[in-house]
Amino acid sequence: MPINLEPKDISADLSNVRSVLIVYCAVCPQFSLAMQKDVPWLQVLKNGLRTEALDDHIREVREPLEEQGVRSGVFTMRVPLPMMCLWTKGQRKRLLERAKGFEVVVVLGCDSAAFTAQQVLTDTDCKVILGMRMM
């Protein structure tokens, strides 16, 4: 069962940064945003494994950053697993590699997802910010 999450205002956390990587889990944020916006949560033929609601939210986070000249990127795991916030060794390695060169990682997921990202990025200078909260 997905955790019900809502976006947090993280604009103050992202002031004065030069690069942001948005990391999202493939289940809870998508279900939550789709329910909140009253849109279909899964249209595989149209959007693959992402929802329009998630795509819209990622755009809402990225656009103001890019207007300020902040470089941004997006990352998720390739294949969803039942325990999304407990990433495999391979997924953790991919995140560590992808986060190189980014100053901040914004996690769109639960506290466990943010904890996982913090564990992965412990030996880097990359700051982890939780971009959602439980409702």
Side-chain angles (χ1 to χ4, degrees):
M1 161 130 340
I3 297 171
N4 196 11
L5 303 168
E6 67 179 352
K8 288 174 36 177
D9 180 4
I10 56 172
S11 55
D13 294 318
L14 300 179
S15 63
N16 302 316
V17 300
R18 296 181 313 269
S19 59
V20 175
L21 179 64
I22 299 167
V23 176
Y24 68 90
C25 287
V27 176
C28 298
Q30 298 200 76
F31 280 94
S32 299
L33 291 167
M35 287 185 334
Q36 291 161 24
K37 295 184 178 194
D38 196 26
V39 297
W41 63 269
L42 190 59
Q43 294 177 304
V44 177
L45 297 177
K46 184 176 180 185
N47 301 321
L49 295 177
R50 291 203 339 220
T51 64
E52 286 183 45
L54 177 65
D55 288 343
D56 290 346
H57 182 64
I58 290 171
R59 258 191 307 280
E60 290 167 7
V61 173
R62 288 182 89 178
E63 284 176 356
L65 294 170
E66 291 174 354
E67 288 171 4
Q68 298 169 21
V70 175
R71 180 173 63 93
S72 67
V74 178
F75 176 86
T76 193
M77 62 198 85
R78 290 186 179 128
V79 179
L81 300 171
M83 297 299 292
M84 305 313 300
C85 38
L86 303 174
W87 292 15
T88 66
K89 185 177 178 179
Q91 291 163 334
R92 291 168 183 244
K93 183 177 176 181
R94 282 184 51 241
L95 173 58
L96 181 60
E97 189 62 33
R98 181 70 171 98
K100 285 183 182 173
F102 284 93
E103 196 175 339
V104 173
V105 165
V106 172
V107 177
L108 300 181
C110 66
D111 291 343
S112 293
F115 180 78
T116 297
Q118 287 172 326
Q119 280 185 318
V120 170
L121 301 170
T122 296
D123 295 330
T124 71
D125 294 330
C126 196
K127 180 180 177 184
V128 176
I129 297 172
L130 184 57
M132 301 187 92
R133 67 175 155 250
M134 290 178 58
M135 293 180 70

